Amino acid sequence: MVFGIISAAVHVAAGAVLGQLVGGPVGLLVGAVLGLLVGGVFGWAITSAQVYGPDARGVFLFVVDHTWSLLNTLVGALYLAVHLLFGHSLDRATSQHSCRVNVLEGVSPRYATTLGTVCAGSGPGIQRHEDVHVFQARLLGPLYIPLVVANYVLFTIAPVWLLYHDHAGAPINRFTRYFEIGVYPHVWNEAIAYRIQGTPPR
């Protein structure tokens, strides 16, 4: 319960600071309220599922997630809130002491998606892949999301990946495949994760 309360308080403080920077005193109030809503949901989830264990690892990763990797945690908390708003379920069994929040349903039936410490639609066959993304976010902290977004933009408008793409095994023969088979598996964070577990889409 302590982790959940501290997490909610950190979300409120972060929302207030961001709000103040964007909109002055009114922004501070709006940001604090939004931080309370999103942080309250995230705090409830990590308490309900006992996401962070009381051991040294759990405490350390909680601190990392709420300091250096706070931007990723904020994005993940918002992502979790949207999932729960759509009626998706918290996977308490796989979340317990894992230092990540698992949601049973994903955005797409074909893919699991991880933002910050929140994994949606994952399973035993791809959980190590998703855990790589959690690790990447923790390692790079506030740089992670900008670096991922920048790589997606770069590979969309300047597809250098075409030079080393497996054209025979995964042909790019229609518009949707350009993104699903081309851009997506070649961005740096996905390429690393697929090397550890999983098979890129073909």
Side-chain angles (χ1 to χ4, degrees), residues 80 83-84 87-95 101-109 111-112 118-123:
L80 173 65
H83 271 285
L84 296 179
H88 295 176
S89 307
L90 191 62
D91 187 348
R92 290 176 175 82
T94 61
S95 298
V101 179
N102 277 5
V103 178
L104 287 170
E105 302 86 355
V107 175
S108 159
Y111 299 103
V118 178
C119 303
S122 188

Side-chain angles (χ1 to χ4, degrees), residues 21-198:
L21 293 172
V22 172
V26 174
L28 183 146
L29 182 60
V30 171
V33 170
L34 291 175
L36 178 61
L37 292 174
V38 173
V41 169
F42 190 76
W44 164 81
I46 65 174
T47 299
S48 174
Q50 300 176 31
V51 169
Y52 297 95
D55 57 349
R57 175 179 176 268
V59 172
F60 173 73
L61 290 178
F62 177 85
V63 170
V64 169
D65 291 341
H66 290 81
T67 54
W68 170 246
S69 192
L70 180 59
L71 175 62
N72 304 306
T73 302
L74 292 171
V75 171
L78 181 60
Y79 181 56
L80 173 65
V82 171
H83 271 285
L84 296 179
L85 191 63
F86 278 88
H88 295 176
S89 307
L90 191 62
D91 187 348
R92 290 176 175 82
T94 61
S95 298
Q96 185 174 17
H97 295 176
S98 66
C99 298
R100 60 170 146 66
V101 179
N102 277 5
V103 178
L104 287 170
E105 302 86 355
V107 175
S108 159
R110 291 192 61 198
Y111 299 103
T113 308
T114 297
L115 293 177
T117 58
V118 178
C119 303
S122 188
I126 197 69
Q127 188 60 62
R128 279 179 57 220
H129 174 109
E130 299 307 314
D131 285 343
V132 171
H133 296 318
V134 176
F135 174 77
Q136 290 166 338
R138 285 174 172 152
L139 180 67
L140 296 173
L143 304 174
Y144 177 67
I145 292 174
L147 287 172
V148 170
V149 170
N151 197 180
Y152 269 101
V153 171
L154 175 64
F155 277 14
T156 298
I157 61 176
V160 294
W161 49 267
L162 284 170
L163 298 173
Y164 53 88
H165 178 74
D166 178 8
H167 295 279
I172 309 294
N173 50 19
R174 62 180 184 272
F175 183 72
T176 54
R177 286 180 65 84
Y178 178 84
F179 294 98
E180 185 179 9
I181 311 301
V183 176
Y184 160 72
H186 290 100
V187 293
W188 70 269
N189 64 315
E190 292 297 344
I192 292 170
Y194 275 119
R195 283 183 179 274
I196 291 173
Q197 185 186 40

